[in-house]
Amino acid sequence: MDVTTIKTAIEPDQTVFDFTKEASEDLQLWVRTNGRIEIKQSGTQLIEEGIVSNDVVILMKGTVAVNTTDHNGDSQRLAILSQGTIVGEMSWLERRPAVAEIVTETESKVLFLSIEQLDKMRSDEPKLAAEWQQLIARKLASQIKNQNAWIHRYEGSGAEIEPLRKVLVMFAELNDIDLDQIATMGSLRRVPPGGILLKQEEEVASIFLVLAGEAEILINVDGSTKKVGTSRRGELLGELTLLTSESQGASATVKSTNGMELLELDKVKLKEALSDTPEFADRFFRSLNCMLSQRSRDQLLARQLAARSRTAEAEDDEDALDLTQLGNINRAGQRFHALCQKFQNGGVARL
């Protein structure tokens, strides 16, 4: 693989997400008060691939390189990121090994936030916690949009990794009241085989939770249509337009393969609910972040990247890892099953 091609996927002056510009003054004050700032020389490793990170890192000044290891053991450069970027959030959200090494390219001013402080924010500062989770969601959305543009260049199976894990993670983060609220706002949408749910660059008025069926995710690159993934039962569709302010158009086309049933959530109503209740917003965006993080991870693993992360997880006890990640996995599965029954069968299901 041509490393230079990937290196230019995100130029230093084109980093879409910038925490120092997007975060409120209150959140930036909290971050500076509770984090630790260090000056790092060029070539300093901030995050090690294959290791669960103890910190989320905000780059206050400078540039960092994002490198991952392929199945041959060679290092591949995914991006160069500049001031305001956040790294290490995927390892924090999933409590799984980092998929990439983060190394300073220049002398850099770096702020470290421990996972203990971030978890404490959720109980002590629900409004700030909701804003933090939403900013992380915007960062991951930007990351996935850029990743979609070049991930097809890598050869690999292209198969989705652990397709049901995402919905279990999402519903483990939400509580019963959250699910009742989502069910009240939602309506059932059916798409026939071969039907188009979303079209790239067209406006998206709703987001969708897949209750049944499967879809292909397609993007147009230089006039050619490329398949970048699939979506199955338990995934969200259209959620990136809830997070990206620069454009409301779909980042990809979503085409049903053999029919789909979906829970449709109007974005206007959803945004109102999130604005009214910070605690709900915190849980909703965190659940969304866990799904986005796993989507990004799955794309790399399916293309035989993030090899050190894969090896590290293979060496762990997989059953213990799943229990740690998913928490109350049985309850999460029951919640999703109840939601499916409520809308698919037209019956009353207890959430």
Side-chain angles (χ1 to χ4, degrees), residues 27-294:
L27 181 56
Q28 294 201 49
L29 176 60
W30 187 94
V31 164
R32 291 193 299 269
T33 301
N34 292 276
R36 68 181 193 278
I37 293 179
E38 299 181 13
I39 304 298
K40 298 294 186 181
Q41 298 303 310
S42 176
T44 302
Q45 185 184 70
L46 302 179
I47 292 176
E48 182 178 355
E49 181 187 347
I51 301 297
V52 178
S53 178
N54 293 320
D55 301 284
V56 174
V57 181
I58 302 175
L59 185 64
M60 308 302 288
K61 185 177 181 180
T63 57
V64 296
V66 183
N67 306 317
T68 194
T69 306
D70 64 22
H71 65 289
N72 293 318
D74 297 325
S75 181
Q76 301 288 347
R77 177 153 298 178
L78 302 182
I80 296 178
L81 304 176
S82 57
Q83 175 179 314
T85 193
I86 297 176
V87 292
E89 79 287 347
M90 290 173 59
S91 186
W92 164 60
L93 287 165
E94 302 180 62
R95 298 295 196 265
R96 296 172 70 183
V99 295
E101 172 194 52
I102 310 296
V103 182
T104 57
E105 285 280 286
T106 62
E107 181 179 273
S108 300
K109 183 179 180 181
V110 182
L111 188 147
F112 295 88
L113 281 170
S114 71
I115 58 175
E116 292 80 13
Q117 288 288 355
L118 289 171
D119 291 342
K120 191 171 183 293
M121 183 205 292
R122 302 190 72 191
S123 59
D124 295 352
E125 301 284 351
K127 187 174 180 180
L128 292 183
E131 181 187 355
W132 168 259
Q133 295 289 356
Q134 186 171 5
L135 288 174
I136 293 294
R138 289 180 189 170
K139 186 268 181 178
L140 286 170
S142 173
Q143 175 177 308
I144 287 174
K145 288 181 71 175
N146 281 290
Q147 196 164 292
N148 283 343
W150 54 256
I151 195 67
H152 64 276
R153 299 172 185 166
Y154 283 96
E155 294 183 359
S157 66
E160 177 154 5
I161 309 298
E162 302 169 1
L164 292 180
R165 171 179 270 180
K166 297 181 185 66
V167 70
L168 295 176
V169 169
M170 179 176 182
F171 282 79
E173 293 292 337
L174 300 173
N175 63 30
D176 290 343
I177 296 176
D178 298 334
L179 266 294
D180 282 335
Q181 188 166 8
I182 289 173
T184 299
M185 287 187 289
S187 60
L188 182 65
R189 172 82 170 269
R190 289 190 171 94
V191 180
I196 302 296
L197 176 68
L198 302 174
K199 191 169 182 180
Q200 187 173 347
E201 297 184 356
E202 290 191 358
E203 183 180 355
V204 179
S206 303
I207 65 174
F208 303 89
L209 175 64
V210 182
L211 303 179
E214 183 174 327
E216 293 182 332
I217 309 300
L218 310 167
I219 64 170
N220 187 284
V221 181
D222 298 327
S224 178
T225 299
K226 302 287 186 180
K227 178 180 175 180
V228 296
T230 60
S231 285
R232 304 177 186 177
R233 184 173 186 259
E235 288 199 87
L236 281 179
L237 298 170
E239 78 290 346
L240 296 188
T241 63
L242 187 69
L243 305 170
T244 52
S245 58
E246 71 274 9
S247 173
Q248 292 300 309
S251 61
T253 293
V254 178
K255 181 180 180 181
S256 170
T257 52
N258 49 8
M260 301 176 72
E261 292 184 332
L262 309 106
L263 172 62
E264 181 173 1
L265 296 171
D266 181 84
K267 288 198 300 185
V268 173
K269 294 180 180 179
L270 179 58
K271 287 179 179 179
E272 289 176 354
L274 295 171
S275 177
D276 291 342
T277 312
E279 292 84 359
F280 172 49
D282 170 43
R283 292 187 294 270
F284 177 84
F285 283 115
R286 182 177 175 85
S287 68
L288 181 57
N289 288 337
C290 290
M291 293 184 73
L292 293 175
S293 179
Q294 291 202 12

Side-chain angles (χ1 to χ4, degrees), residues 274-323:
L274 295 171
S275 177
D276 291 342
T277 312
E279 292 84 359
F280 172 49
D282 170 43
R283 292 187 294 270
F284 177 84
F285 283 115
R286 182 177 175 85
S287 68
L288 181 57
N289 288 337
C290 290
M291 293 184 73
L292 293 175
S293 179
Q294 291 202 12
R295 183 183 302 174
S296 178
R297 181 186 295 268
D298 287 356
Q299 280 190 329
L300 297 178
L301 291 173
R303 270 67 181 187
Q304 302 184 57
L305 298 172
R308 290 181 181 174
S309 178
R310 185 196 298 273
T311 299
E313 290 197 293
E315 293 174 350
D316 286 335
D317 182 337
E318 292 186 359
D319 292 333
L321 179 65
D322 285 346
L323 288 174

